Amino acid sequence: MHANNLLLLLLAFAAAAFYVGRGRANHIAKLAGGSRQLHSLPDYHGHYTALCCGLPAVLLLILWIIFSGHVISAMVLDSLPAGQFLGDPGGRELLANKIANIAQGVLPKANQPAILVAAAEELNRLTQISRWSVTALASCVSLVGLIWARSRITPELQSRPRVEASIKYALFFCACVAVFTTFGIIFSVLFESLQFFQSVPVVDFIFGLEWSPQTAIRDDQVGSSGSFGAVPLFVGTLLVSAVAMVVAVPIGLMSAIFLGEYAHKSVRAYAKPALEVLAGIPTVVYGFFAALTVAPFLRDLGQGYGFSVSSESALAAGLVMGVMIIPFISSLSDDVITAVPQSLRDGSLAMGATHSETVIRVVIPAALPGIVAGIMLAISRAIGETMIVVMASGLAANMTFNPLDSVTTVTVQIVTLLTGDQEFDSPKTLAAFALGLVLFLITLILNIIALKVVKRFREQYE
Amino acid sequence: MNTSATFGVGTPSESDFRDTRDGDMSDIGLTKGHVTVGSVEIQAAKITARGVNIFYGDKQAIHDVNVDIGKNQVIAMIGPSGCGKSTFLRSLNRMNDTIDGCKIEGDIRIDGEDLYSPKLDVVELRARVGMVFQKPNPFPKSIYDNVAYGPKIHGLAETRADLDEMVEKSLRRAGLWDEVKDRLFQAGTGLSGGQQQRLCIARAIAVSPEVILMDEPCSALDPIATARIEELIEELSHNFTIAIVTHNMQQAARVSQRTAYFHLGRLIEVNPTEQVFTNPEHSLTESYITGRFG
Ligand SMILES: Nc1ncnc2c1ncn2[C@@H]1O[C@H](COP(=O)(O)OP(=O)(O)OP(=O)(O)O)[C@@H](O)[C@H]1O
Ligand SMILES: [Mg+2]
């Protein structure tokens, strides 16, 4: 039986076990004189039985899924004569793949060596056996679990704490999955970055002021030695993000305060979703809006005042990006502001504070953690935003703090490094991982700072 | 309230018209045209309320209340739960403004000034008429900042030393100083319920309002703290006007000069406290203070 079907079967068993356990508990309760005589309610006994029935079997199935493939292919390979392995360890893997492909009919059997075809048939046979045996075994385990749990049900059996504990472990398991995924991503990025730093020194990367990742592919090419100084990219990123935050934080926060504190309910009902639409517009649309409308407008405006604004500028990208992230700040802040209890506002108003004093001195401090969370989310969005910058701010890695110049950002460079055909071990490709790593570190540091800020200024209400 | 048949008759002025909305009202001898018995008017009145009706949406919570609150006097408001004491109290510093759908009719004046006139500055009014709420609501700030809040927004303290002094004085008067003097800069929300309530009292008196409205200020306090607050009320009443809602009959008897008895949104009786507790005019008042219902 296929693993998915087996899983469904086991779940069905567990569901049945629930009813068996509950029925048994009900029966015992009747004999003992009502379910108050039981330590745990019949439902808990049901859940307990279901757990005993399902959990070991599912664990068994998981182990089988993880290991059976390896074990079987190892068995098949070991049965082949030693000469087939071409010496190196990679050859063994290749051969295993080839046999698996023949077994699944991906490679036609006709023009393969007979020994491999035989191995493929052996593989199929072993797989069949293993499937049937795991089906039988898991069913047995779940039945044994069911019978065992059912036989244990007595008025004294403490099912409730056991079920509670199993819920705790299930939640813990899910939390672990999330944490391990994060670590997995970090380690893979770290690993690739280390490879990159073998060809480009860390110091050159972090403190270098020039970014031109074109490397010579052939030896006779000239001029493209490649320099990987990441500073211009980070300066560009910070510049664009800073412009965006200068736009988004005041507007977002003020509109949140308006919506949460001053607006009439009916206004809020329409204005809030309308603001949130801003977050739903695809960034490509923002991008060409920035490139075709805002950037030329800024250039013309600059000319009128005698500034030279390049037709692709950090300012244009930042302004439009700021508009895009307004709802991240306004919506979250509005939610936390309305969640501040009315009794706090009443307390302040009853002291003779004006509405705005109440907002500034009581409501905002109480809502601060949520507001900071909204701002952090917006910053992450700004740093990660790519499309608007590609379109409105260009690809030139200029080292400049002037928002009227064209700049490029980390994410834009990652995209340009990885689009098209790439060699996976050239510094040019690996540089993307290093950029990603530094970007990750920066957002991590920002988050830590934000947490500190919140801790320092937080005013907790019950 | 099913034992109401024994509660006797209502006031002489009642008509035959019976309110059908408040189902059990007629059972207890209360009718729509009820007129408050006792001495509604008083010589030196700080606040006068005339014909006050308060509505939450369509539901009327206060029906035609007339009462004077005497200057430098304590008036106690008593009555069964849900009879509208808090509602009426909140109307005296316009805290009902913050409740959506709350509507007020009638005329309330403080020192002859119309409370609900469009010209009145609500902020200034609330600085003059302070309030302690039924549920303690300290700000999520330090104990010090809670008490210093009012003085700060009204610019009452010239220097930091002034402010320190105000904070200490208010906390002492509220009987909280000894418990918190070592942790003035910890969160006010970290205090116990009773301490929080005293903190709110300290916060309210820190700005020295002319009138203090107290909504069950002692409901979360132990007898010692209650005694301290009653002492404070007594002390304050030499210079301030106080309206206090309480469910504690002895407390009303101890601290107040006049007592108002509310029932189902109507003011049944206002009289000198002594009279209310020894010789109530209205049968409902008598039933309530003798503990027969409520
Ligand atoms: N915000 C509100 N919205 C709607 N109805 C309300 C509101 N607040 C109070 N009410 C209603 O108005 C009536 C009077 O309530 P109020 O809080 O004034 O009673 P109370 O006398 O203070 O009672 P308690 O002694 O329990 O505090 C009650 O019937 C209550 O349900
Ligand atoms: Mg109340």
Side-chain angles (χ1 to χ4, degrees):
Chain A
M1 195 180 285
H2 197 269
N4 286 341
N5 296 340
L6 182 55
L7 190 65
L8 285 181
L9 181 78
L10 292 179
L11 288 181
F13 277 172
F18 171 78
Y19 289 104
V20 170
R22 194 177 62 170
R24 173 78 183 156
N26 275 328
H27 177 68
I28 288 180
K30 211 179 273 165
L31 294 183
S35 48
R36 312 196 62 193
Q37 304 303 320
L38 301 186
H39 170 272
S40 308
L41 288 176
D43 269 11
Y44 278 109
H45 289 298
H47 287 302
Y48 176 66
T49 318
L51 278 175
C52 288
C53 164
L55 207 55
V58 171
L59 285 181
L60 182 80
L61 181 63
I62 290 174
L63 288 181
W64 177 77
I65 290 174
I66 294 174
F67 292 111
S68 72
H70 294 286
V71 174
I72 292 175
S73 85
M75 280 165 70
V76 172
L77 287 179
D78 287 342
S79 70
L80 290 177
Q84 292 289 334
F85 292 145
L86 313 160
D88 67 310
R92 197 179 154 99
E93 223 162 88
L94 275 179
L95 197 64
N97 271 339
K98 199 168 183 185
I99 295 174
N101 281 335
I102 297 171
Q104 282 158 17
V106 178
L107 288 178
K109 284 179 192 173
N111 39 15
Q112 297 298 335
I115 186 160
L116 288 189
V117 174
E121 269 155 18
E122 173 73 0
L123 183 73
N124 275 340
R125 194 178 64 84
L126 286 177
T127 310
Q128 280 303 321
I129 292 175
S130 124
R131 278 191 186 162
W132 282 115
S133 52
V134 77
T135 305
L137 198 61
S139 309
C140 279
V141 167
S142 71
L143 271 181
V144 168
L146 195 164
I147 292 166
W148 180 73
R150 184 182 180 277
S151 72
R152 289 198 49 183
I153 295 177
T154 58
E156 289 80 39
L157 179 68
Q158 307 200 340
S159 291
R160 180 163 27 82
R162 285 162 214 240
V163 173
E164 283 298 320
S166 69
I167 289 175
K168 193 177 86 186
Y169 287 120
L171 296 178
F172 175 73
F173 175 76
C174 292
C176 284
V177 169
V179 171
F180 284 132
T181 316
T182 312
F183 277 108
I185 293 173
I186 293 174
F187 280 120
S188 74
V189 171
L190 199 63
F191 181 73
E192 305 283 354
S193 306
L194 286 181
Q195 268 193 312
F196 170 71
F197 290 133
Q198 273 163 8
S199 50
V200 177
V202 180
V203 178
D204 286 4
F205 177 72
I206 295 183
F207 298 105
L209 297 183
E210 201 188 327
W211 177 264
S212 68
Q214 272 61 40
T215 43
I217 294 172
R218 298 189 314 273
D219 288 342
D220 56 334
Q221 277 180 326
V222 282
S224 303
S225 57
S227 64
F228 292 92
V231 173
L233 305 189
F234 286 101
V235 169
T237 305
L238 292 185
L239 193 61
V240 176
S241 305
V243 173
M245 297 316 286
V246 165
V247 175
V249 171
I251 297 184
L253 202 54
M254 305 264 180
S255 40
I257 293 172
F258 171 72
L259 287 178
E261 288 289 325
Y262 290 90
H264 194 265
K265 260 198 196 127
S266 52
V267 176
R268 185 168 183 268
Y270 290 102
K272 201 176 178 204
L275 250 180
E276 280 161 5
V277 166
L278 282 179
I281 299 175
T283 53
V284 183
V285 178
Y286 278 112
F288 68 68
F289 178 66
L292 300 183
T293 311
V294 178
F297 171 76
L298 287 176
R299 195 189 50 213
D300 295 346
L301 196 71
Q303 260 165 7
Y305 287 95
F307 291 112
S308 76
V309 183
S310 75
S311 55
E312 293 183 320
S313 66
L315 189 61
L319 285 179
V320 174
M321 197 192 285
V323 172
M324 180 191 79
I325 57 184
I326 285 173
F328 286 89
I329 297 176
S330 71
S331 198
L332 252 126
S333 305
D334 173 62
D335 286 345
V336 288
I337 284 174
T338 40
V340 172
Q342 180 63 27
S343 68
L344 290 186
R345 291 189 191 93
D346 282 356
S348 171
L349 292 173
M351 299 292 302
T354 63
H355 198 159
S356 62
E357 280 168 344
T358 302
V359 170
I360 293 168
R361 289 170 182 257
V362 175
V363 178
I364 301 271
L368 193 69
I371 293 175
V372 172
I375 293 178
M376 289 314 299
L377 189 66
I379 291 182
S380 326
R381 269 311 293 255
I383 290 179
E385 177 51 43
T386 315
M387 200 50 94
I388 295 176
V389 187
V390 174
M391 291 183 168
S393 162
L395 295 171
N398 290 329
M399 175 69 203
T400 175
F401 286 99
N402 179 2
L404 305 180
D405 265 349
S406 129
V407 296
T408 192
T409 65
V410 175
T411 50
V412 169
Q413 286 308 312
I414 293 180
V415 170
T416 50
L417 289 175
L418 292 185
T419 38
D421 291 337
Q422 302 296 338
E423 296 171 77
F424 272 103
D425 50 357
S426 83
K428 189 180 163 212
T429 316
L430 292 173
F433 287 99
L435 287 177
L437 183 70
V438 180
L439 202 57
F440 168 76
L441 287 179
I442 288 181
T443 40
L444 188 71
I445 291 168
L446 280 177
N447 270 309
I448 292 173
I449 293 174
L451 275 183
K452 283 258 154 41
V453 169
V454 168
K455 245 208 190 121
R456 171 81 180 68
F457 293 105
R458 147 172 248 173
E459 299 191 342
Q460 204 163 9
Y461 59 84
E462 265 102 322
Chain B
M1 291 190 192
N2 293 334
T3 53
S4 53
T6 56
F7 288 162
V9 293
T11 55
S13 60
E14 68 193 19
S15 67
D16 280 339
F17 178 76
R18 310 219 140 167
D19 191 327
T20 46
R21 228 175 348 182
D22 293 321
D24 55 357
M25 202 166 66
S26 49
D27 298 350
I28 52 174
L30 188 59
T31 58
K32 186 160 181 130
H34 172 82
V35 171
T36 308
V37 300
S39 48
V40 165
E41 286 186 34
I42 176 170
Q43 281 286 306
K46 177 81 181 172
I47 296 177
T48 56
R50 290 293 176 268
V52 177
N53 292 306
I54 305 180
F55 304 83
Y56 290 114
D58 298 336
K59 191 169 156 273
Q60 188 165 2
I62 289 288
H63 302 256
D64 189 26
V65 166
N66 300 286
V67 68
D68 283 0
I69 297 176
K71 197 173 165 74
N72 298 353
Q73 260 198 357
V74 180
I75 184 166
M77 302 183 179
I78 59 173
S81 187
C83 67
K85 305 178 297 291
S86 301
T87 303
F88 182 67
L89 200 68
R90 288 169 64 98
S91 72
L92 300 181
N93 70 343
R94 291 190 54 176
M95 282 312 291
N96 284 329
D97 292 10
T98 65
I99 298 176
D100 273 345
C102 183
K103 199 171 85 226
I104 298 201
E105 287 171 359
D107 182 73
I108 305 180
R109 287 170 186 274
I110 176 167
D111 293 332
E113 207 180 324
D114 185 358
L115 231 64
Y116 286 85
S117 128
K119 272 180 282 180
L120 181 116
D121 180 3
V122 184
V123 167
E124 196 229 299
L125 168 75
R126 289 182 187 143
R128 288 169 62 193
V129 183
M131 178 153 200
V132 177
F133 292 84
Q134 186 163 359
K135 270 189 284 177
N137 58 347
F139 301 133
K141 300 176 182 296
S142 72
I143 294 168
Y144 183 96
D145 285 338
N146 260 286
V147 183
Y149 186 81
K152 271 187 191 160
I153 54 175
H154 295 300
L156 300 183
E158 297 282 320
T159 61
R160 176 79 188 191
D162 280 358
L163 194 60
D164 289 348
E165 196 187 304
M166 278 183 182
V167 170
E168 175 172 347
K169 194 170 137 216
S170 308
L171 284 170
R172 274 192 195 284
R173 293 172 100 180
L176 190 61
W177 174 254
D178 289 329
E179 286 158 71
V180 301
K181 61 172 185 274
D182 301 324
R183 48 166 170 159
L184 283 177
F185 296 97
Q186 289 173 21
T189 41
L191 296 173
S192 79
Q195 289 172 327
Q196 289 187 6
Q197 188 61 294
R198 279 177 284 159
L199 180 62
C200 293
I201 293 172
R203 183 176 75 187
I205 60 179
V207 290
S208 314
E210 298 163 23
V211 181
I212 303 176
L213 311 173
M214 294 183 165
D215 198 344
E216 296 184 40
C218 302
S219 58
L221 302 189
D222 65 33
I224 300 168
T226 302
R228 182 73 199 85
I229 298 301
E230 287 178 9
E231 240 172 75
L232 170 72
I233 292 171
E234 150 70 24
E235 178 194 327
L236 291 173
S237 68
H238 299 306
N239 305 312
F240 303 94
T241 304
I242 295 172
I244 176 173
V245 170
T246 177
H247 282 295
N248 180 334
M249 295 304 121
Q250 286 81 24
Q251 181 171 63
R254 279 194 299 265
V255 301
S256 69
Q257 282 85 52
R258 292 167 79 226
T259 296
Y261 174 65
F262 285 81
H263 193 103
L264 288 177
R266 286 173 170 78
L267 180 54
I268 304 299
E269 171 170 356
V270 202
N271 263 323
T273 299
E274 208 169 283
Q275 188 188 343
V276 170
F277 285 99
T278 53
N279 183 23
E281 259 181 70
H282 199 285
S283 53
L284 280 174
T285 318
E286 187 181 357
S287 314
Y288 182 72
I289 60 167
T290 54
R292 265 192 277 167
F293 77 127

